[in-house]
Amino acid sequence: MSASGVYILDLKGKTLISRNYRGDVPTSAVDAFFSLLTEREEEGTLNPVLSHGGVRFMWIKHNNIYIVATTNKNANVALVFAFLYKTVQVFNEYFKELEEESIRDNFVIVYELLDEIMDFGYPQTTESRVLQEYITQEGHKLEVGAPRPPATVTNAVSWRSEGIKYRKNEVFLDVIESVNLLVSATGSVLRSEIVGTVKMRVFLSGMPELRLGLNDKVLFEQTGRDKSKGVELEDVKFHQCVRLSRFDNDRTISFIPPDGEFELMSYRLYTHVKPLVWIESAIERHSGRIEYIVKAKSQFKRKSTASGVEIRVPVPADADSPKFRVSTGTTAWIPEEGVLVWTIKSMPGGKEYLLRAHFGLPSVGAEESDGRAPITVKFEIPYFTTSGIQVRYLKIMEKSGYQALPWVRYITQSGDYQLRMQ
């Protein structure tokens, strides 16, 4: 069982637009939501599911609106929240930004979308590419003489249209890993994890089936391969096109892809990550001035190169008279943000660079409070993955038997990458 109704409210709790799908919860019931929300917030007992008079409100906040689902039954809460977030995604793809103004400017389309994405409280078509075939910003495409919806809506494969044709059939697959890292002032790693995504751009004719093989440690163990070369993926999430039963049985990632760009899967590895870009810093305080010495080391293989390296060093808010000396790259002081930015366009593996910075410091109080914020680092390393994940194969099968070109690219980038200052 899913939602009885869906309501979009402004920040004062006033209903902008709503759709009562089942009729078993009166639309007036939502009037209690905002006062309940305010009351729980003041008490410090606010949670995503609120209850009043036998009605449960499942809600999310996005920009300056609340999106609320109501039910008086034993609903599948996880399904309802998945639907609410998917609704936000659909509206964002239609209106670029979902907010009160875009709702007010597009009442007719919002009503049409609410009618299509849910029926009698059950989620239906939630792929915006499919919805855009017959619900457009110019109005409904369906004419009076042709009331039938596109075949995609009634397909088993609701995320892909039939009859797609390309002169050149290609698949682009990007494995992107973000490294999250927190290092203490003493140099010990407090937190490290890898968050990976597999993104695809598909330009294939017909209704192809794709099979993706990774160096999955579980699969390697099942098939008697060298498991030391496998990667143990955790917290794996798939696009709805992936056949989950097939993956559960034999770890095969089999799917009929949507057309165009989409995220096939994501994963997370809670593992000790050797910092790819290591920062050592020292602060020397003198009367009326402060000096920084920052050393940056690239701790990855020499054949790889980090690009767009940006090291942001916090400095006191009232610092002035900056003087910089660097062994490579460029420096910029952004006083309104209280940071010194050291940019290195290209940083090959196994390199070490040095920055010296000198600031005047008129305030004595600032000397004692500075250095609290961490140094943050941004970078991107193409053709490289931290986890060692590899695409072993990408098979493309389609009944017409055409030839298709698969292209695979690996990228490692910084995520939440912070090193506390010594």
Side-chain angles (χ1 to χ4, degrees):
M1 184 67 67
S2 191
S4 173
V6 173
Y7 301 79
I8 299 177
L9 316 178
D10 65 16
L11 289 179
K12 295 180 180 178
K14 182 182 176 183
T15 302
L16 298 172
I17 200 165
S18 66
R19 186 70 173 83
N20 194 337
Y21 294 101
R22 301 179 65 87
D24 54 351
V25 175
T27 54
S28 59
V30 79
D31 296 342
F33 167 75
F34 190 70
S35 58
L36 195 63
L37 181 84
T38 308
E39 182 184 311
R40 294 289 173 84
E41 200 168 21
E42 289 173 354
E43 293 173 356
T45 58
L46 188 61
N47 63 60
V49 181
L50 302 175
S51 184
H52 177 78
V55 177
R56 278 166 290 281
F57 304 98
M58 291 151 283
W59 63 279
I60 61 174
K61 185 181 179 184
H62 183 81
N63 288 334
N64 57 354
I65 59 173
Y66 294 100
I67 305 175
V68 184
T70 59
T71 184
N72 60 1
K73 301 287 194 302
N74 186 18
N76 184 332
V77 174
L79 176 62
V80 173
F81 277 107
F83 172 79
L84 293 179
Y85 283 107
K86 190 67 179 176
T87 300
V88 170
Q89 183 182 333
V90 168
F91 286 161
N92 272 332
E93 288 170 355
Y94 260 84
F95 312 131
K96 293 187 179 177
E97 189 63 61
L98 174 59
E99 55 188 9
E100 182 179 341
E101 188 177 352
S102 61
I103 295 293
R104 292 187 182 279
D105 289 346
N106 297 279
F107 269 129
V108 173
I109 298 166
V110 172
Y111 268 121
E112 288 186 1
L113 289 170
L114 289 174
D115 277 341
E116 292 297 333
I117 62 180
M118 182 170 273
D119 184 29
F120 198 61
Y122 297 98
Q124 302 295 313
T125 305
T126 55
E127 284 293 320
S128 61
R129 283 193 192 90
V130 174
L131 290 164
Q132 283 168 0
E133 290 183 29
Y134 60 106
I135 297 177
T136 71
Q137 262 94 335
E138 288 77 39
H140 212 293
K141 277 187 180 176
L142 298 182
E143 297 175 4
V144 177
R148 293 178 62 190
T152 321
V153 178
T154 53
N155 261 354
V157 185
S158 61
W159 54 86
R160 184 179 179 89
S161 303
E162 291 188 8
I164 295 172
K165 290 183 180 179
Y166 286 100
R167 184 175 297 173
K168 186 177 182 181
N169 291 286
E170 293 180 301
V171 177
F172 298 87
L173 187 147
D174 287 346
V175 180
I176 303 169
E177 289 191 343
S178 296
V179 179
N180 296 331
L181 185 79
L182 177 61
V183 178
S184 72
T186 57
S188 58
V189 177
L190 302 176
R191 177 175 65 92
S192 68
E193 64 178 4
I194 300 166
V195 179
T197 56
V198 177
K199 295 185 177 181
M200 298 190 73
R201 284 180 295 142
V202 176
F203 306 104
L204 297 175
S205 305
M207 196 68 70
E209 178 168 331
L210 275 61
R211 288 181 190 167
L212 174 66
L214 304 172
N215 57 334
D216 181 355
K217 190 174 183 179
V218 176
L219 176 63
F220 278 25
E221 288 175 348
Q222 290 174 354
T223 55
R225 301 182 189 205
D226 184 359
K227 64 181 181 182
S228 66
K229 295 182 180 178
V231 175
E232 189 170 355
L233 304 177
E234 303 173 63
D235 195 18
V236 181
K237 296 183 177 70
F238 288 110
H239 187 276
Q240 66 180 23
C241 66
V242 175
R243 295 186 176 90
L244 295 180
S245 57
R246 181 80 186 270
F247 180 77
D248 291 338
N249 286 337
D250 58 14
R251 305 293 284 191
T252 299
I253 303 172
S254 175
F255 56 100
I256 296 172
D259 186 45
E261 191 172 333
F262 70 103
E263 185 177 297
L264 176 68
M265 62 179 283
S266 64
Y267 58 90
R268 190 181 298 266
L269 281 81
Y270 300 96
T271 182
H272 177 72
V273 178
K274 181 183 179 182
L276 299 170
V277 177
W278 181 255
I279 305 294
E280 293 177 10
S281 61
I283 303 173
E284 296 179 4
R285 296 177 178 86
H286 307 278
S287 177
R289 61 190 175 90
I290 186 168
E291 291 184 26
Y292 294 84
I293 302 171
V294 180
K295 188 186 292 181
K297 298 180 185 177
S298 50
Q299 300 189 140
F300 46 86
K301 293 179 180 178
R302 292 180 183 275
K303 64 181 181 180
S304 296
T305 301
S307 61
V309 180
E310 184 182 282
I311 301 163
R312 297 172 69 91
V313 183
V315 298
D318 62 344
D320 60 18
S321 310
K323 294 178 183 176
F324 310 123
R325 194 165 76 246
V326 290
S327 57
T328 191
T330 59
T331 53
W333 176 43
I334 309 176
E336 60 271 20
E337 295 181 25
V339 292
L340 161 63
V341 181
W342 180 15
T343 304
I344 304 170
K345 191 175 181 181
S346 179
M347 191 176 190
K351 293 291 183 180
E352 185 174 305
Y353 300 122
L354 192 67
L355 160 73
R356 288 180 178 272
H358 174 286
F359 290 91
L361 199 62
S363 170
V364 177
E367 290 187 20
E368 306 197 3
S369 62
D370 83 286
R372 299 297 181 192
I375 292 175
T376 60
V377 186
K378 291 182 181 178
F379 59 84
E380 186 172 283
I381 309 174
Y383 318 113
F384 175 85
T385 59
T386 313
S387 67
I389 194 169
Q390 290 180 339
V391 175
R392 291 169 48 238
Y393 62 82
L394 180 60
K395 297 179 181 177
I396 304 164
M397 293 158 283
E398 211 277 332
K399 61 184 180 182
S400 64
Y402 58 70
Q403 294 296 309
L405 295 171
W407 304 89
V408 179
R409 182 173 61 167
Y410 301 95
I411 301 170
T412 288
Q413 61 189 19
S414 57
D416 184 10
Y417 199 101
Q418 301 183 352
L419 301 97
R420 292 175 180 165
M421 298 183 71
Q422 285 91 328

